[in-house]
Amino acid sequence: MNRPYNFSAGPAAIPAEVLEQAAAEMLDWHGSGMGVMEMSHRGKEFLSIYEQAEADLRALLAVPSNFKILFMQGGGLAENAIVPLNLSRAGVVDFVLTGSWSQKSQKEARKYASEVNIVGSAEDTGFTTLPDPATWTLSRGASYLHICSNETINGIEFHQLPDIQALGSDAPLVIDFSSHVASRPVDWSRVGLAFGGAQKNLGPAGLTLVVVREDLLGHALPACPSAFDYKTVADNQSMYNTPPTWGIYIAGLTFQWLLRQTEGGLTGVAAMERRNIGKAELLYNAIDSSQLYVNKVAANCRSRMNIPFFLRDESRNDAFLAGAKERGLLQLKGHKSVGGMRASVYNAMPLAGVQALVDYMREFEQKHA
C-alpha cells in the first residue's frame, strides 16, 4: 500500500507494520474470540498485553528497577496538573521556560504550588535558544524542577538533560518528553519523573506515559483525585480505574516494532537515535542551504523531531501546502500560534519521507525563484 507521508505533530503517524497487525487482530485477538477493545482490563488476555507492554517499554528505554511505569489518561496537558498534585507538596517548584508547552505547564502548576519560580527563560529570544543551565537561579528547597525536553511547537530540544545536582539542587528533575520519547536514550540518573502523551511517538491519543522514581510516590496533596495519585496507580498496576486498553495495546505493538529496529549495528532506541539524526540533518541542511526557507532556532538546540520552517515570502504559503498535498506530503502547516510550516519527523517517519519532502522543497524553490 502506497501511503502518503504524514508529518503531523500529533496525533501522528504510526508504523505501518503496527497498523497492519492491529487490523489483522481487530476482530479476534490471538484466538480469544474478542477484539482488544472488547476485553475486560482485568481478564487474562488483556493482562498479558499489559504486562508485555510494560516489560518491553522498560527494556526499550532502559528504565531502572527503582522507577514505576504508569499507563494513565489525560495526555501531557493533564499531567501539568497531576505532577504538582503529586510532587509539589504545596511548596515551591521551579520551571524553565523554553516554549509554548513549558509556558502552559507553569501556569497550571500555579494552581497547586505555593510558589512557582521561573529559574531560566528563553522568552527574550522568541524561544529560539535554550537558557544556559549555568545561569539558572534554582530555588533552595524546591519540590521539583520542570522542563519540557522537546518543545513541539517551537522546535527546541535539550540534547543533554541538565545535571541539576551539579548546579547545587537536590530537587528531582521532571521532564515532559511527549514529543521525543523513544527517539533517543534517557539519562535516568538525572530524572525523577518523565511524562508524555503517546500520540506523537508511541501510539494513539488517549494514553499517557508516566515514569516515576519510587521515592517520589506517596506525597499527593489531599485534593488529588485518587485516580491521579501516582502511588494509587502504581499500587494497582495502572488498573485502579479502567486504563486506555486500546492505547496500551497499540503502544505495546509500537514498543515491539522499536525493539526490532536496527541501524548501523545498533538496535532499539540507539538505532532510532542514529536514524533520527540522519533525518533531521537532511532536512535542516536543505533549509539552511536555501534562499526561500528559514529555520530560526539556534543550531545547538534544534529539535530532531519537530522542525519548523518559514518561507521568506509567506504569500506563497498556500501554494506550498497545496503542492505538498498533491505530492502526498501531509500536515505540514505550522502551529496556529507561530505560523509557517512544521515537519514532525517522529520515529515512524522513514528517511524516504524526509527525502521526498526535501525534493519537493527544492523543486518549489526553483519554480518560484
Side-chain angles (χ1 to χ4, degrees):
M1 182 178 179
N2 188 20
R3 303 185 76 212
Y5 294 115
N6 177 8
F7 293 91
S8 173
I14 294 174
E17 290 177 40
V18 170
L19 295 176
E20 289 165 355
Q21 183 174 347
E25 296 176 346
M26 178 67 76
L27 296 178
D28 184 3
W29 182 83
H30 295 199
S32 67
M34 299 177 288
V36 174
M37 287 183 286
E38 304 170 296
M39 294 176 178
S40 166
H41 62 293
R42 300 188 187 281
K44 64 178 183 179
E45 294 87 0
F46 181 75
L47 286 176
S48 70
I49 292 172
Y50 162 79
E51 290 167 357
Q52 187 67 56
E54 182 184 28
D56 287 342
L57 181 60
R58 189 174 292 277
L60 182 70
L61 297 184
V63 177
S65 60
N66 64 324
F67 281 74
K68 293 291 188 181
I69 294 174
L70 312 179
F71 294 114
M72 299 182 68
Q73 293 150 313
L77 198 60
E79 287 301 321
N80 287 333
I82 297 171
V83 169
L85 280 167
N86 278 272
L87 302 191
S88 73
R89 310 190 192 198
V92 177
V93 296
D94 286 349
F95 274 80
V96 179
L97 299 189
T98 52
S100 297
W101 285 106
S102 49
Q103 283 184 313
K104 288 184 178 181
S105 300
Q106 63 89 17
K107 288 178 182 178
E108 189 72 14
R110 292 180 187 276
K111 299 177 182 179
Y112 310 102
S114 64
E115 184 178 349
V116 169
N117 286 336
I118 307 303
V119 302
S121 175
E123 191 168 8
D124 61 340
T125 69
F127 298 122
T128 59
T129 63
L130 283 177
D132 183 351
T135 68
W136 297 354
T137 54
L138 300 174
S139 304
R140 184 182 300 274
S143 297
Y144 63 88
L145 169 66
H146 178 119
I147 67 170
C148 180
S149 51
N150 187 80
E151 289 277 4
T152 316
I153 293 173
N154 303 89
I156 296 280
E157 183 171 13
F158 282 84
H159 291 294
Q160 184 177 29
L161 293 177
D163 183 355
I164 62 173
Q165 285 191 339
L167 298 174
S169 174
D170 292 328
L173 178 66
V174 171
I175 64 171
D176 174 356
F177 67 173
S178 296
S179 50
H180 70 164
V181 57
S183 72
R184 60 191 305 150
V186 177
D187 184 352
W188 294 106
S189 70
R190 297 186 175 186
V191 175
L193 182 147
F195 71 85
Q199 69 273 14
K200 300 176 185 296
N201 236 358
L202 298 180
L207 170 65
T208 309
L209 172 67
V210 176
V211 184
V212 55
R213 209 171 61 212
E214 289 180 344
D215 64 290
L216 298 178
L217 301 174
H219 304 290
L221 299 179
C224 182
S226 298
F228 296 153
D229 183 328
Y230 291 145
K231 187 176 190 306
T232 299
V233 178
D235 288 347
N236 288 274
Q237 290 75 50
S238 299
M239 301 285 174
Y240 178 75
N241 63 332
T242 304
T245 55
W246 178 257
I248 293 171
Y249 162 67
I250 296 294
L253 296 183
T254 304
F255 302 156
Q256 293 172 9
W257 179 82
L258 287 165
L259 287 167
R260 293 195 300 268
Q261 300 307 297
T262 61
E263 192 77 26
L266 301 172
T267 60
V269 168
M272 296 312 305
E273 180 178 37
R274 177 171 293 188
R275 191 178 300 173
N276 291 326
I277 289 171
K279 292 187 299 184
E281 286 181 347
L282 175 61
L283 184 47
Y284 281 121
N285 287 340
I287 295 169
D288 291 342
S289 62
S290 163
Q291 297 300 310
L292 179 61
Y293 312 106
V294 60
N295 173 276
K296 300 175 183 179
V297 178
N300 69 337
C301 57
R302 285 174 163 179
S303 172
R304 297 173 187 167
M305 296 283 97
N306 309 103
I307 302 177
F309 60 95
F310 299 84
L311 276 64
R312 295 181 190 275
D313 179 2
E314 293 197 341
S315 69
R316 302 191 185 279
N317 282 1
D318 289 345
F320 178 88
L321 289 169
K325 187 174 182 180
E326 290 175 1
R327 297 291 191 91
L329 307 170
L330 307 181
Q331 303 289 331
L332 284 165
K333 187 174 182 179
H335 191 272
K336 62 184 179 180
S337 66
V338 295
M341 309 296 160
R342 175 176 53 176
S344 293
V345 290
Y346 299 126
N347 286 337
M349 175 60 64
L351 179 62
V354 180
Q355 186 64 62
L357 173 58
V358 167
D359 291 344
Y360 167 67
M361 291 170 65
R362 288 172 175 162
E363 292 174 17
F364 185 87
E365 180 173 7
Q366 290 172 0
K367 181 178 178 181
H368 295 277

